[in-house]
Amino acid sequence: MNIIGLIAGIGRLPVEFARAARGMGFDVIAIAVAPGVEAELEQAVTRFHTVGLGELNKLIGLLQQDGVQQVTMLGKVTKEHLFSGTARPDARMQQLLAKLPDLNDDTVMLALVHEFAKAGVGVFDQTQFIRQLMPSPGVLTTRQPTPEEQADMEYGLAMARQLGGLDIGQTVVVKNKAVMAVEAIEGTDACIKRGGDLGRGGTVVAKAAKPQQDARFDVPSVGPDTLKAMIGSGAVALVVEAGKTLLVDKKQVVELANMNNITIVAM
């Protein structure tokens, strides 16, 4: 049986991936690298480990110990940990970060990919086993967008793509074709809240892949937590890039949207 590794952060994606891969006959070795990983993950994989965020040498050692030659990285691990003191980088991670020209997401992730490769571990496409989670173009909810919301969706998606091109974030909150908030180090949910506060409700949330998106890491995703943040901020619409965004727990997401009169469009 083939062995694949899963470096897991927070959220449902690692669980969805593990179940899909196990269903296809793969042994899945999961290594949790952030506190708060879904409890179900340990039951969904063949073997489960935890490491502290920044313990790169231990992480690679575990992959080699379990014979993992191919790995994927899924789940939320926000970069703010690097600045808050909650992450304690080991000597190997410190050396890696010290050589980088900046700490942009792609810069850090590509450096990790290269470090894994030096250890004989390849990193593969995050979506390889879960492409079915990417919605096709269309309206996913009962309510269709109004003409004003449609205009904001198109504008927001264009802005989100430009933001992604700068390797800053993937989410933009807009209202009346004005940008209320852009995602940076704080993450999607905090961006949605800030945009809702500034827009005083009635906002549209747009999520897009980067123009230069590397499918091995940071593929955009939305799920129930996204909808809960939108509900709390008074947002009225969500637009995602069709075929390029992972929609986790679609049934729950659509139910939450319908219950709260939110429209969702894959565009």
Side-chain angles (χ1 to χ4, degrees):
M1 184 180 287
N2 292 325
I3 301 173
I4 52 177
L6 169 60
I7 299 172
I10 299 167
R12 294 290 303 171
L13 275 177
V15 177
E16 296 284 351
F17 171 87
R19 287 177 174 165
R22 292 294 301 279
M24 296 178 190
F26 288 88
D27 269 340
V28 179
I29 310 300
I31 303 177
V33 295
V37 169
E38 290 278 335
E40 292 176 51
L41 183 61
E42 188 168 359
Q43 309 306 318
V45 299
T46 311
R47 194 169 298 122
F48 182 81
H49 305 283
T50 61
V51 301
L53 190 59
E55 293 183 327
L56 181 58
N57 198 57
K58 182 178 179 181
L59 171 61
I60 290 176
L62 286 170
L63 292 172
Q64 293 174 325
Q65 168 190 303
D66 286 335
V68 175
Q69 296 181 328
Q70 291 291 320
V71 71
T72 192
M73 299 180 281
L74 282 165
K76 186 188 301 182
V77 183
T78 55
K79 202 169 56 181
E80 64 184 288
H81 293 295
L82 288 174
F83 302 96
S84 67
T86 56
R88 300 187 181 278
D90 61 17
R92 190 169 186 171
M93 179 65 89
Q94 290 179 35
Q95 290 171 7
L96 181 145
L97 295 174
K99 296 175 183 177
L100 302 182
D102 56 61
L103 292 180
N104 287 343
D105 291 345
D106 283 4
T107 305
V108 174
M109 296 308 294
L110 281 171
L112 288 171
V113 168
H114 293 150
E115 193 71 13
F116 289 138
K118 289 194 296 184
V121 179
V123 178
F124 62 90
D125 182 343
Q126 285 184 317
T127 70
Q128 186 165 328
F129 294 100
I130 50 175
R131 289 196 181 102
Q132 73 276 10
L133 299 183
M134 293 179 154
S136 301
V139 180
L140 306 181
T141 48
T142 302
R143 185 171 77 77
Q144 300 283 320
T146 66
E148 294 77 17
E149 289 166 350
Q150 180 75 20
D152 271 352
M153 286 179 173
E154 293 171 0
Y155 176 77
L157 207 56
M159 293 298 101
R161 289 180 180 127
Q162 291 193 43
L163 180 69
L166 297 172
D167 194 20
I168 295 174
Q170 298 169 319
T171 306
V172 172
V173 180
V174 301
K175 183 176 181 179
N176 299 331
K177 290 188 177 179
V179 175
M180 298 289 106
V182 298
E183 178 190 12
I185 196 170
E186 81 282 27
T188 301
D189 296 349
C191 171
I192 291 171
K193 182 183 184 304
R194 188 171 73 253
D197 290 344
L198 293 170
R200 298 179 181 274
T203 51
V204 172
V205 177
K207 186 103 174 180
K210 302 172 185 177
Q212 74 283 11
Q213 185 70 55
D214 190 321
R216 294 175 296 179
F217 50 82
D218 209 21
V219 173
S221 66
V222 296
D225 287 345
T226 312
L227 262 291
K228 291 171 185 175
M230 290 178 61
I231 294 164
S233 72
V236 295
L238 169 66
V239 60
V240 299
E241 195 164 14
K244 295 185 178 180
T245 306
L246 294 162
L247 177 55
V248 188
D249 287 339
K250 178 179 177 180
K251 181 179 178 182
Q252 185 182 356
V253 167
V254 172
E255 285 177 353
L256 281 170
N258 287 335
M259 288 169 55
N260 291 275
N261 202 32
I262 293 171
T263 182
I264 303 176
V265 177
M267 190 179 292

